Amino acid sequence: MGLTAGIVGLPNVGKSTLFNAVTKACALVANYPFATIEPNVGLVEVRDERLERLAEAVKQDNIIRASFSFTDIAGLVKGASRGEGLGNQFLAHIREVDCICHVVRCFEDPDIVHVSGMVDPVADIEIVNLELMLADLEIINRRLPRIEKKAILKVEPDLEAEYRVLLKIKEKLQEGNRNFGLFPEEVLRVRHYNFLTLKPMIYVCNVSEEELGGNRHVEAVRRHAEAEGSRVVVISGKIESELAELDEESRELFLGELGLAESGLDKLTKAAYDLLGLATFFTHNEKEVRAWTFRRGMKAPECAGLIHSDFERGFIRAEVTAFADFQKYGNLQKAKEAGKMRSEGRDYAMQDGDIVFFRFNV
């Protein structure tokens, strides 16, 4: 399973610059609204030092990293949910993603036009969030009349339950509130609608390279995010663009010169994994060393199914070595000799960093 994220924001906040930097793609970057008409989709390889160390230990050059898919849509404006700036069709492009990365302009630059005429990140956030809410409200208002009669008459229990959840969400949206207070079973009841307002949000503060430590705009975004339970990542689009042009060695040197331990993309990836409850396990064979993304709490057979459905269907056991033990003993063989390779059954909940060999029979 790959992580998917949609990039949203007002025009000229640095969305396409960020997309280009993290995917090394060639999305159009222009200093005017609606430069991005069709959605740009790009795959990013997730950097994980543990995978590199495992590959070195087993002497394998073919490294397959986990992937992170970004979808960049055109800048939204007030009225997007009603079609202003072609907003409706843009929003449809991100209904399938796992989370939303909302790029917010937190830098001052008189040479880059701001669609509202001034830099006010919280006001920008409120504009975009309102459009997401209105877009979801439109879907609910189309659906409710179609099921209302059967729901009230209690003809179909499933429709009755769906009706109640939709009314609950509608009431909150009309109040301008994204905290719906849904129970897990209620979320499942409306999952197929892919409501934008139910998706986890990460605010990506785009700052100048001199202000990576933050500024007043970033602090305002942090306060807003804390109130609604969202995450904040601070990046510099300019720095990320420069990093994208460098090879691995030069990249590390450049980060060191800036006093940074990791890039903005690395921070964004970690925030997304944490927000979505994702983790990584590793496999290796004579052909490759590979990282796999899974949701925390998944059992060993489910994780085996991420590799191939036959692995899950014919699951026998998982031979597991924790990455910490692999690192402690230097290689898998020594960890095995020390009794650190475990044989786990169907009820084993996979842990982040597990190095696994699945036994199966079909």
Side-chain angles (χ1 to χ4, degrees), residues 293-346:
T293 301
F294 69 99
R295 294 194 182 277
R296 292 184 184 273
M298 287 177 66
K299 305 295 186 183
E302 295 176 278
C303 288
L306 297 176
I307 300 174
H308 196 285
S309 58
D310 284 348
F311 282 35
E312 181 174 10
R313 185 160 54 92
F315 179 87
I316 299 174
R317 66 180 184 275
E319 296 174 357
V320 182
T321 304
F323 186 83
D325 290 327
F326 157 76
Q327 191 171 26
K328 177 180 178 180
Y329 292 97
N331 62 52
L332 290 171
Q333 183 58 37
K334 289 182 179 179
K336 182 178 180 180
E337 291 169 357
K340 298 301 182 181
M341 180 180 287
R342 312 183 311 275
S343 181
E344 301 287 359
R346 305 187 68 85

Short mmCIF file of all heavy atoms in Angstrom, two decimals, residues 293-346:
data_model
loop_
_atom_site.label_atom_id
_atom_site.label_comp_id
_atom_site.label_asym_id
_atom_site.label_seq_id
_atom_site.Cartn_x
_atom_site.Cartn_y
_atom_site.Cartn_z
N THR A 293 4.92 -0.41 3.22
CA THR A 293 4.14 0.42 4.13
C THR A 293 2.90 -0.33 4.59
O THR A 293 2.20 -0.93 3.78
CB THR A 293 3.72 1.73 3.44
OG1 THR A 293 4.89 2.43 3.00
CG2 THR A 293 2.93 2.62 4.37
N PHE A 294 2.63 -0.29 5.89
CA PHE A 294 1.42 -0.92 6.41
C PHE A 294 0.81 -0.06 7.50
O PHE A 294 1.47 0.85 8.03
CB PHE A 294 1.74 -2.32 6.96
CG PHE A 294 2.57 -2.34 8.22
CD1 PHE A 294 1.97 -2.50 9.47
CD2 PHE A 294 3.95 -2.19 8.18
CE1 PHE A 294 2.72 -2.52 10.63
CE2 PHE A 294 4.71 -2.22 9.34
CZ PHE A 294 4.10 -2.37 10.58
N ARG A 295 -0.45 -0.33 7.81
CA ARG A 295 -1.11 0.40 8.88
C ARG A 295 -0.84 -0.30 10.21
O ARG A 295 -0.95 -1.52 10.30
CB ARG A 295 -2.63 0.49 8.64
CG ARG A 295 -2.98 1.33 7.42
CD ARG A 295 -4.46 1.69 7.39
NE ARG A 295 -4.76 2.45 6.18
CZ ARG A 295 -4.57 3.75 6.04
NH1 ARG A 295 -4.08 4.45 7.05
NH2 ARG A 295 -4.88 4.36 4.91
N ARG A 296 -0.49 0.48 11.22
CA ARG A 296 -0.22 -0.10 12.54
C ARG A 296 -1.44 -0.90 13.01
O ARG A 296 -2.58 -0.45 12.86
CB ARG A 296 0.11 1.00 13.54
CG ARG A 296 1.44 1.69 13.25
CD ARG A 296 1.77 2.72 14.33
NE ARG A 296 3.00 3.45 14.00
CZ ARG A 296 4.20 3.05 14.30
NH1 ARG A 296 4.37 1.90 14.94
NH2 ARG A 296 5.26 3.78 13.98
N GLY A 297 -1.17 -2.06 13.57
CA GLY A 297 -2.25 -2.92 14.02
C GLY A 297 -2.54 -4.06 13.06
O GLY A 297 -3.24 -5.01 13.41
N MET A 298 -2.00 -3.99 11.83
CA MET A 298 -2.22 -5.07 10.87
C MET A 298 -1.50 -6.33 11.33
O MET A 298 -0.39 -6.28 11.84
CB MET A 298 -1.74 -4.66 9.47
CG MET A 298 -2.64 -3.65 8.78
SD MET A 298 -2.00 -3.12 7.15
CE MET A 298 -2.13 -4.64 6.20
N LYS A 299 -2.16 -7.47 11.13
CA LYS A 299 -1.58 -8.76 11.50
C LYS A 299 -0.62 -9.25 10.41
O LYS A 299 -0.67 -8.78 9.26
CB LYS A 299 -2.68 -9.79 11.72
CG LYS A 299 -3.73 -9.38 12.75
CD LYS A 299 -3.15 -9.25 14.14
CE LYS A 299 -4.25 -8.98 15.17
NZ LYS A 299 -3.72 -8.78 16.53
N ALA A 300 0.20 -10.21 10.78
CA ALA A 300 1.21 -10.73 9.85
C ALA A 300 0.60 -11.21 8.53
O ALA A 300 1.14 -10.90 7.46
CB ALA A 300 2.01 -11.84 10.53
N PRO A 301 -0.51 -11.99 8.53
CA PRO A 301 -1.07 -12.43 7.25
C PRO A 301 -1.51 -11.27 6.36
O PRO A 301 -1.34 -11.33 5.13
CB PRO A 301 -2.27 -13.29 7.67
CG PRO A 301 -1.95 -13.76 9.04
CD PRO A 301 -1.22 -12.62 9.68
N GLU A 302 -2.07 -10.21 6.96
CA GLU A 302 -2.48 -9.04 6.18
C GLU A 302 -1.27 -8.37 5.53
O GLU A 302 -1.33 -7.96 4.36
CB GLU A 302 -3.20 -8.03 7.07
CG GLU A 302 -4.51 -8.49 7.66
CD GLU A 302 -5.09 -7.45 8.60
OE1 GLU A 302 -4.66 -7.40 9.78
OE2 GLU A 302 -5.94 -6.67 8.15
N CYS A 303 -0.20 -8.26 6.29
CA CYS A 303 1.01 -7.65 5.74
C CYS A 303 1.61 -8.53 4.65
O CYS A 303 2.12 -8.03 3.64
CB CYS A 303 2.04 -7.42 6.84
SG CYS A 303 1.57 -6.07 7.97
N ALA A 304 1.52 -9.84 4.82
CA ALA A 304 1.98 -10.75 3.77
C ALA A 304 1.17 -10.53 2.50
O ALA A 304 1.70 -10.61 1.39
CB ALA A 304 1.85 -12.20 4.24
N GLY A 305 -0.12 -10.23 2.66
CA GLY A 305 -0.98 -9.97 1.51
C GLY A 305 -0.62 -8.72 0.73
O GLY A 305 -1.00 -8.58 -0.43
N LEU A 306 0.12 -7.80 1.37
CA LEU A 306 0.58 -6.61 0.66
C LEU A 306 1.59 -6.99 -0.42
O LEU A 306 1.73 -6.31 -1.43
CB LEU A 306 1.21 -5.61 1.63
CG LEU A 306 0.29 -5.02 2.70
CD1 LEU A 306 1.09 -4.12 3.64
CD2 LEU A 306 -0.84 -4.23 2.06
N ILE A 307 2.31 -8.09 -0.18
CA ILE A 307 3.30 -8.57 -1.15
C ILE A 307 2.61 -9.34 -2.27
O ILE A 307 2.84 -9.09 -3.44
CB ILE A 307 4.35 -9.46 -0.44
CG1 ILE A 307 5.07 -8.65 0.66
CG2 ILE A 307 5.35 -10.03 -1.45
CD1 ILE A 307 6.00 -9.48 1.51
N HIS A 308 1.73 -10.26 -1.87
CA HIS A 308 0.96 -11.03 -2.85
C HIS A 308 -0.21 -11.69 -2.13
O HIS A 308 -0.06 -12.14 -0.99
CB HIS A 308 1.84 -12.10 -3.52
CG HIS A 308 1.25 -12.66 -4.78
ND1 HIS A 308 0.20 -13.55 -4.79
CD2 HIS A 308 1.56 -12.44 -6.09
CE1 HIS A 308 -0.11 -13.87 -6.04
NE2 HIS A 308 0.70 -13.20 -6.85
N SER A 309 -1.35 -11.76 -2.79
CA SER A 309 -2.53 -12.36 -2.15
C SER A 309 -2.29 -13.81 -1.77
O SER A 309 -2.85 -14.31 -0.78
CB SER A 309 -3.74 -12.25 -3.08
OG SER A 309 -3.48 -12.88 -4.32
N ASP A 310 -1.44 -14.52 -2.53
CA ASP A 310 -1.13 -15.92 -2.20
C ASP A 310 -0.43 -16.02 -0.85
O ASP A 310 -0.60 -17.01 -0.13
CB ASP A 310 -0.25 -16.55 -3.28
CG ASP A 310 -1.04 -16.90 -4.54
OD1 ASP A 310 -2.29 -16.86 -4.48
OD2 ASP A 310 -0.41 -17.22 -5.56
N PHE A 311 0.38 -15.01 -0.51
CA PHE A 311 1.11 -15.02 0.76
C PHE A 311 0.13 -15.00 1.93
O PHE A 311 0.34 -15.67 2.95
CB PHE A 311 2.05 -13.82 0.86
CG PHE A 311 3.32 -13.95 0.07
CD1 PHE A 311 3.35 -14.62 -1.14
CD2 PHE A 311 4.50 -13.40 0.55
CE1 PHE A 311 4.53 -14.74 -1.86
CE2 PHE A 311 5.70 -13.52 -0.17
CZ PHE A 311 5.70 -14.20 -1.38
N GLU A 312 -0.94 -14.22 1.78
CA GLU A 312 -1.93 -14.14 2.84
C GLU A 312 -2.81 -15.40 2.86
O GLU A 312 -3.08 -15.96 3.93
CB GLU A 312 -2.81 -12.90 2.66
CG GLU A 312 -3.86 -12.74 3.75
CD GLU A 312 -4.62 -11.43 3.64
OE1 GLU A 312 -4.48 -10.73 2.62
OE2 GLU A 312 -5.37 -11.11 4.59
N ARG A 313 -3.20 -15.84 1.69
CA ARG A 313 -4.10 -17.00 1.60
C ARG A 313 -3.44 -18.27 2.14
O ARG A 313 -4.08 -19.07 2.81
CB ARG A 313 -4.52 -17.20 0.14
CG ARG A 313 -5.53 -18.30 -0.09
CD ARG A 313 -6.23 -18.10 -1.43
NE ARG A 313 -5.27 -17.98 -2.53
CZ ARG A 313 -4.85 -19.01 -3.26
NH1 ARG A 313 -5.27 -20.23 -2.98
NH2 ARG A 313 -4.00 -18.83 -4.25
N GLY A 314 -2.15 -18.44 1.85
CA GLY A 314 -1.45 -19.65 2.29
C GLY A 314 -0.50 -19.42 3.46
O GLY A 314 0.43 -20.20 3.67
N PHE A 315 -0.74 -18.35 4.23
CA PHE A 315 0.17 -17.98 5.32
C PHE A 315 0.40 -19.14 6.30
O PHE A 315 -0.55 -19.78 6.76
CB PHE A 315 -0.39 -16.77 6.07
CG PHE A 315 0.45 -16.32 7.22
CD1 PHE A 315 1.49 -15.43 7.03
CD2 PHE A 315 0.20 -16.79 8.51
CE1 PHE A 315 2.28 -15.00 8.10
CE2 PHE A 315 0.98 -16.37 9.59
CZ PHE A 315 2.02 -15.48 9.37
N ILE A 316 1.65 -19.40 6.61
CA ILE A 316 2.02 -20.40 7.62
C ILE A 316 2.59 -19.69 8.85
O ILE A 316 2.09 -19.84 9.96
CB ILE A 316 3.06 -21.40 7.07
CG1 ILE A 316 2.47 -22.16 5.86
CG2 ILE A 316 3.50 -22.37 8.17
CD1 ILE A 316 3.47 -23.06 5.17
N ARG A 317 3.64 -18.90 8.62
CA ARG A 317 4.24 -18.15 9.73
C ARG A 317 5.12 -17.04 9.16
O ARG A 317 5.44 -17.03 7.96
CB ARG A 317 5.08 -19.06 10.63
CG ARG A 317 6.31 -19.65 9.98
CD ARG A 317 7.08 -20.54 10.96
NE ARG A 317 8.33 -21.04 10.37
CZ ARG A 317 8.43 -22.12 9.63
NH1 ARG A 317 7.32 -22.83 9.33
NH2 ARG A 317 9.60 -22.53 9.16
N ALA A 318 5.52 -16.15 10.05
CA ALA A 318 6.44 -15.07 9.68
C ALA A 318 7.69 -15.18 10.53
O ALA A 318 7.60 -15.30 11.76
CB ALA A 318 5.78 -13.71 9.89
N GLU A 319 8.84 -15.20 9.89
CA GLU A 319 10.11 -15.22 10.62
C GLU A 319 10.59 -13.77 10.74
O GLU A 319 10.92 -13.13 9.73
CB GLU A 319 11.12 -16.09 9.88
CG GLU A 319 10.67 -17.56 9.83
CD GLU A 319 11.58 -18.44 8.98
OE1 GLU A 319 12.54 -17.89 8.37
OE2 GLU A 319 11.32 -19.65 8.92
N VAL A 320 10.59 -13.27 11.96
CA VAL A 320 10.73 -11.83 12.20
C VAL A 320 11.98 -11.52 13.02
O VAL A 320 12.25 -12.15 14.04
CB VAL A 320 9.49 -11.29 12.94
CG1 VAL A 320 9.62 -9.79 13.16
CG2 VAL A 320 8.22 -11.62 12.19
N THR A 321 12.71 -10.50 12.55
CA THR A 321 13.82 -9.94 13.32
C THR A 321 13.58 -8.44 13.47
O THR A 321 13.38 -7.75 12.47
CB THR A 321 15.17 -10.16 12.61
OG1 THR A 321 15.36 -11.55 12.35
CG2 THR A 321 16.33 -9.63 13.46
N ALA A 322 13.54 -7.97 14.71
CA ALA A 322 13.36 -6.53 14.93
C ALA A 322 14.59 -5.79 14.41
O ALA A 322 15.72 -6.28 14.54
CB ALA A 322 13.16 -6.25 16.41
N PHE A 323 14.38 -4.61 13.84
CA PHE A 323 15.52 -3.87 13.28
C PHE A 323 16.53 -3.54 14.37
O PHE A 323 17.74 -3.56 14.12
CB PHE A 323 15.05 -2.59 12.60
CG PHE A 323 16.17 -1.88 11.90
CD1 PHE A 323 16.56 -2.26 10.62
CD2 PHE A 323 16.88 -0.87 12.53
CE1 PHE A 323 17.63 -1.64 9.99
CE2 PHE A 323 17.94 -0.24 11.90
CZ PHE A 323 18.31 -0.63 10.64
N ALA A 324 16.05 -3.26 15.58
CA ALA A 324 16.97 -2.94 16.68
C ALA A 324 17.92 -4.10 16.96
O ALA A 324 19.11 -3.90 17.24
CB ALA A 324 16.18 -2.57 17.93
N ASP A 325 17.41 -5.33 16.86
CA ASP A 325 18.27 -6.50 17.09
C ASP A 325 19.24 -6.70 15.93
O ASP A 325 20.40 -7.05 16.14
CB ASP A 325 17.40 -7.76 17.27
CG ASP A 325 16.64 -7.74 18.58
OD1 ASP A 325 17.17 -7.20 19.56
OD2 ASP A 325 15.50 -8.25 18.62
N PHE A 326 18.75 -6.48 14.71
CA PHE A 326 19.63 -6.56 13.54
C PHE A 326 20.78 -5.57 13.68
O PHE A 326 21.96 -5.89 13.44
CB PHE A 326 18.83 -6.29 12.27
CG PHE A 326 19.65 -5.80 11.11
CD1 PHE A 326 20.44 -6.68 10.37
CD2 PHE A 326 19.64 -4.46 10.75
CE1 PHE A 326 21.19 -6.23 9.30
CE2 PHE A 326 20.40 -4.00 9.69
CZ PHE A 326 21.18 -4.89 8.95
N GLN A 327 20.45 -4.36 14.11
CA GLN A 327 21.46 -3.31 14.26
C GLN A 327 22.44 -3.65 15.40
O GLN A 327 23.64 -3.44 15.27
CB GLN A 327 20.76 -1.98 14.55
CG GLN A 327 21.67 -0.77 14.46
CD GLN A 327 20.89 0.52 14.53
OE1 GLN A 327 19.80 0.57 15.08
NE2 GLN A 327 21.43 1.58 13.96
N LYS A 328 21.93 -4.22 16.47
CA LYS A 328 22.77 -4.54 17.62
C LYS A 328 23.81 -5.61 17.28
O LYS A 328 24.98 -5.49 17.67
CB LYS A 328 21.89 -5.03 18.77
CG LYS A 328 22.67 -5.46 20.00
CD LYS A 328 21.73 -5.93 21.10
CE LYS A 328 22.51 -6.42 22.32
NZ LYS A 328 21.59 -6.88 23.40
N TYR A 329 23.39 -6.64 16.53
CA TYR A 329 24.29 -7.76 16.24
C TYR A 329 25.02 -7.62 14.91
O TYR A 329 25.89 -8.43 14.60
CB TYR A 329 23.50 -9.07 16.29
CG TYR A 329 23.04 -9.42 17.69
CD1 TYR A 329 21.75 -9.11 18.11
CD2 TYR A 329 23.92 -10.01 18.60
CE1 TYR A 329 21.33 -9.40 19.41
CE2 TYR A 329 23.51 -10.30 19.89
CZ TYR A 329 22.21 -9.99 20.28
OH TYR A 329 21.81 -10.27 21.56
N GLY A 330 24.66 -6.61 14.13
CA GLY A 330 25.41 -6.31 12.92
C GLY A 330 24.91 -6.97 11.66
O GLY A 330 25.12 -6.45 10.57
N ASN A 331 24.26 -8.13 11.78
CA ASN A 331 23.66 -8.77 10.61
C ASN A 331 22.59 -9.76 11.07
O ASN A 331 22.46 -10.07 12.26
CB ASN A 331 24.71 -9.45 9.71
CG ASN A 331 25.46 -10.55 10.44
OD1 ASN A 331 24.85 -11.45 11.02
ND2 ASN A 331 26.79 -10.48 10.41
N LEU A 332 21.84 -10.26 10.11
CA LEU A 332 20.71 -11.13 10.44
C LEU A 332 21.15 -12.48 10.98
O LEU A 332 20.51 -13.05 11.87
CB LEU A 332 19.83 -11.32 9.20
CG LEU A 332 19.05 -10.08 8.76
CD1 LEU A 332 18.39 -10.31 7.40
CD2 LEU A 332 17.99 -9.71 9.79
N GLN A 333 22.25 -13.02 10.45
CA GLN A 333 22.71 -14.33 10.90
C GLN A 333 23.11 -14.30 12.38
O GLN A 333 22.74 -15.19 13.15
CB GLN A 333 23.89 -14.80 10.04
CG GLN A 333 24.40 -16.19 10.38
CD GLN A 333 23.34 -17.26 10.26
OE1 GLN A 333 22.49 -17.21 9.36
NE2 GLN A 333 23.35 -18.23 11.16
N LYS A 334 23.85 -13.27 12.77
CA LYS A 334 24.27 -13.15 14.17
C LYS A 334 23.07 -12.92 15.08
O LYS A 334 23.03 -13.42 16.21
CB LYS A 334 25.29 -12.04 14.32
CG LYS A 334 26.64 -12.37 13.72
CD LYS A 334 27.63 -11.24 13.94
CE LYS A 334 29.00 -11.60 13.35
NZ LYS A 334 29.98 -10.51 13.53
N ALA A 335 22.09 -12.16 14.58
CA ALA A 335 20.87 -11.94 15.37
C ALA A 335 20.12 -13.25 15.55
O ALA A 335 19.60 -13.55 16.64
CB ALA A 335 19.98 -10.91 14.68
N LYS A 336 20.11 -14.07 14.49
CA LYS A 336 19.45 -15.39 14.57
C LYS A 336 20.17 -16.29 15.56
O LYS A 336 19.54 -16.98 16.39
CB LYS A 336 19.42 -16.03 13.18
CG LYS A 336 18.71 -17.37 13.14
CD LYS A 336 18.68 -17.93 11.72
CE LYS A 336 17.97 -19.27 11.67
NZ LYS A 336 17.93 -19.82 10.28
N GLU A 337 21.50 -16.28 15.50
CA GLU A 337 22.28 -17.12 16.41
C GLU A 337 22.08 -16.70 17.86
O GLU A 337 22.21 -17.52 18.78
CB GLU A 337 23.76 -17.04 16.03
CG GLU A 337 24.08 -17.72 14.70
CD GLU A 337 25.48 -17.42 14.21
OE1 GLU A 337 26.18 -16.64 14.90
OE2 GLU A 337 25.87 -17.95 13.15
N ALA A 338 21.76 -15.42 18.07
CA ALA A 338 21.52 -14.92 19.43
C ALA A 338 20.07 -15.15 19.86
O ALA A 338 19.66 -14.71 20.94
CB ALA A 338 21.85 -13.44 19.49
N GLY A 339 19.30 -15.84 19.01
CA GLY A 339 17.91 -16.15 19.34
C GLY A 339 16.96 -14.99 19.14
O GLY A 339 15.87 -14.96 19.74
N LYS A 340 17.33 -14.03 18.31
CA LYS A 340 16.50 -12.84 18.11
C LYS A 340 15.61 -12.93 16.87
O LYS A 340 14.85 -12.01 16.61
CB LYS A 340 17.39 -11.59 18.02
CG LYS A 340 18.18 -11.31 19.29
CD LYS A 340 17.26 -11.13 20.48
CE LYS A 340 18.04 -10.78 21.75
NZ LYS A 340 17.16 -10.62 22.92
N MET A 341 15.72 -14.02 16.11
CA MET A 341 14.78 -14.23 15.01
C MET A 341 13.61 -15.05 15.55
O MET A 341 13.79 -16.16 16.03
CB MET A 341 15.43 -14.95 13.83
CG MET A 341 14.46 -15.18 12.67
SD MET A 341 15.23 -16.03 11.26
CE MET A 341 16.26 -14.69 10.61
N ARG A 342 12.41 -14.48 15.51
CA ARG A 342 11.24 -15.11 16.09
C ARG A 342 10.33 -15.71 15.02
O ARG A 342 10.25 -15.18 13.91
CB ARG A 342 10.43 -14.07 16.89
CG ARG A 342 11.28 -13.22 17.83
CD ARG A 342 10.40 -12.28 18.63
NE ARG A 342 9.45 -11.53 17.82
CZ ARG A 342 9.72 -10.39 17.20
NH1 ARG A 342 10.95 -9.88 17.27
NH2 ARG A 342 8.81 -9.75 16.51
N SER A 343 9.63 -16.77 15.37
CA SER A 343 8.63 -17.35 14.49
C SER A 343 7.27 -16.91 15.00
O SER A 343 6.87 -17.25 16.12
CB SER A 343 8.73 -18.88 14.50
OG SER A 343 7.77 -19.44 13.63
N GLU A 344 6.57 -16.10 14.20
CA GLU A 344 5.30 -15.52 14.63
C GLU A 344 4.15 -16.09 13.81
O GLU A 344 4.29 -16.35 12.61
CB GLU A 344 5.33 -13.99 14.49
CG GLU A 344 6.42 -13.30 15.29
CD GLU A 344 6.13 -13.29 16.79
OE1 GLU A 344 5.07 -13.82 17.19
OE2 GLU A 344 6.97 -12.77 17.55
N GLY A 345 2.99 -16.22 14.45
CA GLY A 345 1.83 -16.79 13.80
C GLY A 345 0.84 -15.75 13.30
O GLY A 345 1.16 -14.57 13.18
N ARG A 346 -0.39 -16.22 13.07
CA ARG A 346 -1.41 -15.39 12.42
C ARG A 346 -1.83 -14.19 13.26
O ARG A 346 -2.30 -13.19 12.72
CB ARG A 346 -2.63 -16.24 12.11
CG ARG A 346 -2.36 -17.47 11.26
CD ARG A 346 -3.64 -18.16 10.85
NE ARG A 346 -4.40 -17.34 9.91
CZ ARG A 346 -4.19 -17.32 8.60
NH1 ARG A 346 -3.25 -18.09 8.06
NH2 ARG A 346 -4.91 -16.56 7.82
#
